[in-house]
Amino acid sequence: MFDLNIEGAELFALPFGDIVPYFSVYSATLAAFVLIFILIAAFDRPERQLNIIFGGDAFYEKEIKEGDTRFSRFMAIACGFATLGAVLTGDIFNFTLFAVLVGITNIAIVASAGNHHVLNAAFQYGIVAMIATVPLFGAAAIILATTGTLSIWTLAGMGAVPLLAKAMLILGVMGEGIAPLYIGKAEIIRAQGAPFVLMIHFSSLLLFLRVTEIVLVI
Amino acid sequence: MIEYIIAAMFAGLLLHGIHRKVIARIQGRPGPPIWQEILHTLKFLGKESWIPKTASQGVYVAVVGISIAIWTAALMLLITQESLLLLFALYVLHKIVEHGIGLASGSPYAKFGAIRSVVSAASELPLLSSVALIYLITGSLMLRDIEAYQAINGPLLIVAFPAAVALYLVILSKIHYGPFSIVEAKEIVSGYWTEHFGVWRGLMNAAFGLKTFVLLYTFVVVFIGPIGLPLTLLAILILMITLSFVCAATPMLSPYDSVTVQTLTTGLIAIYIIYLGVFA
């Protein structure tokens, strides 16, 4: 597969029938970054926001209790593992499942702030993420129907995947990975950002990077 | 390898100094000496440093290390002529660094910088279209294959001119004082890295110097090809000066205008790619 000259040398492959999880230089680098961010999400304490009172010099620090962050932390870790799965899987259907899981955990991270504006942003993002599952799973269905397999390893370099399926795959990931724009709207300035909100942006970009690789390879 | 990394860092910081000098001269000011950014970095590295009380400590420190790691890896990729796709991935991960730096401290100014960083994620789109076009033309994303292609067919600058424009725009979006530098605009103090000071600032300066060198070097390697070290350095310098002219002559765009320009560029290149793929 890796004579395709796209993502660097093959480092490791684990054949499970036609489903082959694999490490290339590319996917290993992405996986290493995911692990670093999972560790940060698991053990780092959240930032404590400073809010400015406009029109004067006053500012105040928001109080963040450990219990308030428990759900966000759990979801950030879950999001990290879903991202790891999306980065490492050798199967397109599994990739779409992990992408949707990333979307679900992202909604949860955004929604855990409990603020009216933030919940509104989470609701809007949730609708987009749900709609995005249609092209995402649709792409997997088209690929299976036209090629008879969902294994990236098998499909690599065949050029058998229809352009429509690739376009739908990208469209689906764009829908699932659009969360950062919604948190940009509301979440960052109203809830603690690091390390939980950071995981949203990170997972979205990693999904984007993986789907770029998949589309080029298949 | 360490000597390459340090040399590239100093070269990048020197390019930052030249950038400031050129902008100043165009605007009729004497400007700082060209080694000013190197002196700044060395000064910051010797300063007393701590982590703000309100910061998310792990992220606050980790993003600095990740920033250095990303651009060091990118330089190694260029030297070893590995995958352009991986270089693209490292560039995109730099966006996480910007975001993380802005979110880590708790400061509202840094946070606004981070929000602008999220909004300006459109700056990655021209790079993606550039990579896609290069793959369509050369049939490979390995830098060694791209160089070999250019040795036979001439510089990609001519064949893949829209891709070169896209990468130029990407570099412009990452250069200080540029039209797309909304993440560190003065109305939000220093933007996303307002609260990183002392050693942290010094290390980030070094990493960003490395980033500038790597991006310009990538442009030369991908679009001009193998021309030897002296000519490569000259090409990098010329490229930097052209960027400085653009920065000196162009006001900073508003965040949404910045995104619009980048998205439109990507759209035009995408149309060109579809034209190439379908009709050519």
Side-chain angles (χ1 to χ4, degrees):
Chain A
M1 170 181 171
F2 291 103
D3 56 354
L4 290 176
N5 294 331
I6 291 175
E7 56 180 292
E10 176 191 333
L11 301 176
F12 173 74
L14 185 65
F16 280 127
D18 68 334
I19 304 301
V20 185
Y22 59 90
F23 273 113
S24 62
V25 174
Y26 183 79
S27 60
T29 307
L30 298 189
F33 275 103
V34 177
L35 287 173
I36 291 169
F37 275 84
I38 288 175
L39 289 175
I40 289 174
F43 297 110
D44 196 17
R45 74 170 194 186
E47 55 136 350
R48 281 173 286 173
Q49 284 175 277
L50 287 178
N51 275 8
I52 292 175
I53 312 288
F54 282 101
D57 296 331
F59 64 90
Y60 64 91
E61 184 187 324
K62 273 192 180 175
E63 192 69 37
I64 304 289
K65 296 187 184 114
E66 183 57 35
D68 298 341
T69 63
R70 200 168 291 149
F71 182 69
S72 309
R73 192 183 295 279
F74 172 74
M75 279 299 164
I77 295 168
C79 182
F81 280 110
T83 309
L84 189 65
V87 165
L88 292 181
T89 183
D91 179 73
I92 291 171
F93 182 64
N94 284 352
F95 170 76
T96 58
L97 283 180
F98 282 124
V100 171
L101 190 54
V102 165
I104 292 167
T105 51
N106 281 351
I107 295 170
I109 295 170
V110 178
S112 63
N115 173 291
H116 168 72
H117 300 282
V118 179
L119 287 173
N120 200 27
F123 174 70
Q124 291 172 3
Y125 167 59
I127 291 173
V128 174
M130 274 196 294
I131 293 170
T133 56
V134 177
L136 204 56
F137 290 132
I142 291 173
I143 292 170
L144 183 62
T146 51
T147 66
T149 179
L150 285 166
S151 165
I152 297 170
W153 189 270
T154 309
L155 291 169
M158 281 172 59
V161 175
L163 193 61
L164 176 67
K166 290 184 180 182
M168 285 171 69
L169 201 60
I170 293 174
L171 196 65
V173 168
M174 281 171 70
E176 296 298 336
I178 208 165
L181 295 181
Y182 284 97
I183 59 164
K185 270 173 65 179
E187 168 76 349
I188 295 178
I189 48 174
R190 293 192 173 89
Q192 69 276 10
F196 311 126
V197 167
L198 189 60
M199 183 58 93
I200 296 176
H201 197 180
F202 180 72
S203 59
S204 300
L205 283 180
L206 267 281
L207 277 185
F208 183 57
L209 290 174
R210 184 73 215 275
V211 81
T212 305
E213 179 224 326
I214 290 174
V215 164
L216 287 174
V217 165
I218 61 173
Chain B
M1 282 294 177
I2 191 81
E3 65 271 19
Y4 288 124
I5 298 163
I6 291 171
M9 272 180 186
F10 275 95
L13 290 169
L14 194 62
L15 286 168
H16 283 176
I18 292 168
H19 180 57
R20 288 184 64 183
K21 188 75 173 177
V22 172
I23 290 176
R25 297 312 297 245
I26 292 168
Q27 294 173 344
R29 297 180 284 114
I34 59 170
W35 50 82
Q36 188 62 48
E37 291 296 322
I38 297 175
L39 297 179
H40 265 157
T41 303
L42 295 175
K43 181 190 75 179
F44 280 129
L45 289 174
K47 289 243 177 203
E48 184 187 359
S49 305
W50 66 92
I51 301 171
K53 196 182 83 170
T54 54
S56 172
Q57 294 175 340
V59 177
Y60 186 89
V61 175
V63 284
V64 178
I66 290 171
S67 175
I68 293 171
I70 283 174
W71 293 109
T72 303
L75 181 68
M76 291 300 111
L77 276 179
L78 280 174
I79 291 171
T80 55
Q81 300 193 312
E82 275 293 325
S83 168
L84 186 63
L85 186 64
L86 188 50
L87 199 64
F88 165 68
L90 291 172
Y91 175 86
V92 171
L93 286 169
H94 174 76
K95 188 56 92 180
I96 296 294
V97 169
E98 281 184 5
H99 194 180
I101 292 168
L103 291 185
S105 65
S107 158
Y109 300 112
K111 201 159 276 192
F112 271 110
I115 292 170
R116 288 186 176 190
S117 167
V118 173
V119 171
S120 66
S123 67
E124 274 83 63
L125 298 176
L127 183 59
L128 177 62
S129 55
S130 184
V131 168
L133 186 54
I134 290 165
Y135 181 63
L136 196 65
I137 290 172
T138 64
S140 173
L141 284 178
M142 303 304 283
L143 287 167
R144 65 181 79 90
D145 295 339
I146 293 170
E147 280 205 352
Y149 177 91
Q150 292 182 100
I152 298 166
N153 300 291
L156 276 175
L157 186 62
I158 298 162
V159 189
F161 186 70
V165 172
L167 187 59
Y168 190 85
L169 200 70
V170 167
I171 299 172
L172 187 62
S173 73
K174 290 293 166 202
I175 292 288
H176 297 305
Y177 317 112
F180 305 115
S181 306
I182 53 173
V183 292
E184 48 185 35
K186 286 300 164 202
E187 71 266 18
I188 47 174
V189 194
S190 290
Y192 65 97
W193 61 344
T194 300
E195 297 295 336
H196 275 73
F197 52 91
V199 172
W200 317 118
R201 183 67 156 230
L203 291 171
M204 278 168 52
N205 257 353
F208 290 174
L210 191 55
K211 176 194 74 180
T212 301
F213 183 82
V214 166
L215 288 177
L216 294 172
Y217 188 23
T218 304
F219 188 95
V220 175
V221 167
V222 171
F223 291 109
I224 300 177
I227 49 174
L229 185 63
L231 281 177
T232 300
L233 292 176
L234 182 64
I236 287 173
L237 181 62
I238 292 170
L239 206 54
M240 187 76 233
I241 291 172
T242 64
L243 288 164
S244 306
F245 267 86
V246 175
C247 293
T250 318
M252 189 181 293
L253 299 171
S254 71
Y256 289 107
D257 288 341
S258 170
V259 172
T260 304
V261 170
Q262 288 161 342
T263 310
L264 281 178
T265 310
T266 308
L268 289 174
I269 294 165
I271 291 169
Y272 181 69
I273 291 171
I274 292 167
Y275 167 76
L276 274 187
V278 176
F279 300 109

